[in-house]
């Protein structure tokens, strides 16, 4: 697998009225295309901040960040916005769907900023919805869906642009255990069957072990980078792997 993300001595700090608060300290790692990686850590460990930097939502303070070989630090805000819209898909705990808007309308939204015909947009949106098993809900409003269905719509929206990487920030945090397991199975299949690169942020061991690799943060430091055995993955997904 070729290299997708490389960070070297990445640091992040926030400054407010002269008070400097360090958040991330000298992180270095590589993520390859096609990987399923979990970023784990307790609240305040810096995992969401790291995801925001990797997903072009925030800037690092010092260090190096390369995405598909490009030095991200040297890119303009406009360049970063373009990469964010075309190269990255996001799945959040809160779903972030437009209320009183259909499933298809929610999924098609990222394509409104891409040059293509309306027919092409509709075809891609329907394919993304079908990929998460919700083709029977095309015309349902988002407020008519269960929590698990809402998160599936969010996954379809993240997929629709065929991004280089999908970031999932605590995607099961607002779901019951059954719906959460279904969402993790979808993410697992998107990686193992479709080859999508997925970076999952979570504080739950069960959720994290769906990935092939776990990076652990504590107080902004990288304290472990470990492979997940196939046995642990099978246990996490309930023995349903084929």
């Amino acid at each position: 697998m070729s290299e997708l993300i490389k960070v070297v001595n990445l640091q992040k700090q926030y400054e407010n009225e002269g008070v400097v608060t360090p958040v991330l300290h000298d992180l270095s790692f590589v993520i390859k295309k096609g990987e399923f990686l979990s970023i784990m850590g307790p609240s305040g460990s810096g995992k969401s901040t790291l995801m925001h930097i990797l997903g072009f939502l925030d800037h690092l303070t010092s260090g190096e960040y390369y995405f598909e070989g490009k030095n991200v630090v040297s890119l303009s805000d406009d360049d970063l916005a373009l990469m964010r819209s075309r190269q990255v898909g996001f799945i959040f705990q809160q779903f972030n769907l437009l209320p009183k808007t259909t499933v298809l309308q929610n999924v098609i939204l990222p394509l409104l900023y891409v040059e293509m015909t309306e027919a092409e947009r509709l075809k891609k949106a329907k394919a993304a919805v079908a990929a998460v098993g919700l083709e029977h809900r095309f015309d349902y409003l988002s407020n008519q869906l269960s929590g698990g269905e809402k998160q599936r719509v969010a996954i379809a929206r993240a997929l629709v642009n065929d991004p280089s990487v999908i970031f999932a920030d605590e995607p099961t945090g607002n779901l019951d255990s059954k719906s959460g397991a279904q969402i993790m199975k979808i993410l697992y299949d998107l990686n193992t069957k479709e080859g999508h690169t997925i970076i999952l942020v979570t504080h739950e061991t069960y959720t994290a072990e769906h990935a092939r690799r776990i990076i652990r943060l504590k107080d902004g430091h990288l304290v472990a980078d470990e492979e997940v055995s196939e046995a642990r993955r099978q246990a996490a997904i309930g023995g349903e792997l084929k």
Side-chain angles (χ1 to χ4, degrees):
M1 292 185 289
S2 58
E3 198 173 274
L4 177 67
I5 287 171
K6 179 181 180 180
V7 297
V8 181
N9 298 329
L10 184 152
Q11 298 194 53
K12 178 64 179 181
Q13 62 187 34
Y14 294 102
E15 185 172 349
N16 184 25
E17 297 182 351
V19 178
V20 175
T21 304
V23 180
L24 299 173
H25 308 270
D26 290 318
L27 305 186
S28 296
F29 56 85
V30 171
I31 301 172
K32 294 182 178 180
K33 291 181 180 178
E35 273 204 83
F36 190 165
L37 173 86
S38 289
I39 301 173
M40 276 197 76
S43 296
S45 61
K47 57 186 185 296
S48 289
T49 299
L50 176 58
M51 188 203 77
H52 290 162
I53 293 172
L54 297 180
F56 315 119
L57 294 170
D58 199 356
H59 297 274
L60 53 83
T61 301
S62 64
E64 302 172 59
Y65 173 21
Y66 299 92
F67 187 91
E68 294 187 328
K70 295 180 181 177
N71 185 349
V72 173
V73 177
S74 67
L75 298 178
S76 68
D77 286 342
D78 286 345
D79 289 335
L80 289 175
L82 191 62
M83 289 181 70
R84 187 166 58 243
S85 66
R86 295 186 178 179
Q87 304 272 49
V88 176
F90 290 102
I91 305 163
F92 295 105
Q93 181 176 340
Q94 302 296 336
F95 317 132
N96 293 343
L97 301 182
L98 295 176
K100 298 181 180 179
T101 304
T102 69
V103 167
L104 271 180
Q105 288 169 330
N106 270 284
V107 173
I108 211 168
L109 186 62
L111 299 177
L112 299 179
Y113 306 98
V114 180
E115 193 171 321
M116 63 176 62
T117 67
E118 189 60 33
E120 289 173 323
R121 290 190 182 101
L122 189 59
K123 182 179 179 180
K124 285 178 70 72
K126 285 184 174 181
V129 174
V132 299
L134 280 182
E135 53 266 56
H136 59 297
R137 295 282 194 261
F138 279 150
D139 297 320
Y140 276 58
L141 300 180
S142 59
N143 58 358
Q144 294 176 311
L145 303 176
S146 68
E149 288 173 333
K150 288 178 181 178
Q151 194 60 291
R152 285 203 244 172
V153 176
I155 293 172
R157 184 181 56 194
L159 281 173
V160 75
N161 259 345
D162 193 24
S164 298
V165 59
I166 296 171
F167 290 96
D169 190 2
E170 301 281 6
T172 63
N174 279 339
L175 304 177
D176 60 69
S177 58
K178 181 179 179 181
S179 297
Q182 291 172 342
I183 292 303
M184 291 311 303
K185 181 65 164 62
I186 289 172
L187 293 178
Y188 176 89
D189 287 344
L190 288 173
N191 172 253
T192 57
K193 296 180 180 180
E194 304 295 334
H196 290 282
T197 306
I198 296 175
I199 300 176
L200 170 73
V201 172
T202 183
H203 66 279
E204 297 174 336
T205 299
Y206 156 78
T207 302
E209 289 185 345
H210 285 73
R212 293 190 181 278
R213 178 179 163 208
I214 299 175
I215 286 178
R216 299 181 188 271
L217 300 181
K218 184 177 180 181
D219 299 327
H221 295 273
L222 198 161
V223 296
D225 186 344
E226 61 191 44
E227 298 292 324
V228 181
S229 70
E230 197 61 27
R232 286 165 64 193
R233 297 186 82 199
Q234 288 189 21
I237 206 164
E240 296 177 10
L241 305 186
K242 303 295 184 184

